[in-house]
Amino acid sequence: MSKLLQQWRPSSSAIDLIKLNGIDDVQIQKSLSYLKSQKELSNIDDVDGFDNWDTFFIMFCVKASRSK
């Protein structure tokens, strides 16, 4: 399985969990677009503390929504 961010799409389970935290589709799409635009993020192995993009994306969305 590829661990590259550009090839990754969030799973439906990840999206469901994000939505349970009160985050809407617009914010999810903005977060996804932002992450995919980051050149220093390419492989999940380079992100300390995470072993898959879904987990990282869930935490990213939740933290981003709370920092508004």
Side-chain angles (χ1 to χ4, degrees):
M1 178 166 52
S2 175
K3 295 181 180 183
L4 299 178
L5 180 59
Q6 291 303 317
Q7 299 170 351
W8 171 80
R9 298 284 180 256
S11 69
S12 59
S13 298
I15 298 295
D16 290 345
L17 186 56
I18 293 167
K19 287 180 177 183
L20 283 173
N21 281 279
I23 301 166
D24 62 22
D25 289 330
V26 172
Q27 186 60 41
I28 291 169
Q29 187 57 44
K30 285 181 182 179
S31 295
L32 184 59
S33 296
Y34 176 80
L35 281 178
K36 288 190 174 243
S37 73
Q38 301 304 301
K39 301 297 182 213
E40 63 273 1
L41 287 177
S42 63
N43 192 312
I44 192 63
D45 292 336
D46 298 333
V47 182
D48 289 337
F50 294 95
D51 62 355
N52 68 66
W53 286 116
D54 276 343
T55 306
F56 179 73
F57 188 60
I58 292 165
M59 293 306 297
F60 181 84
C61 287
V62 169
K63 287 184 179 186
S65 73
R66 291 186 179 162
S67 66
K68 290 182 184 177

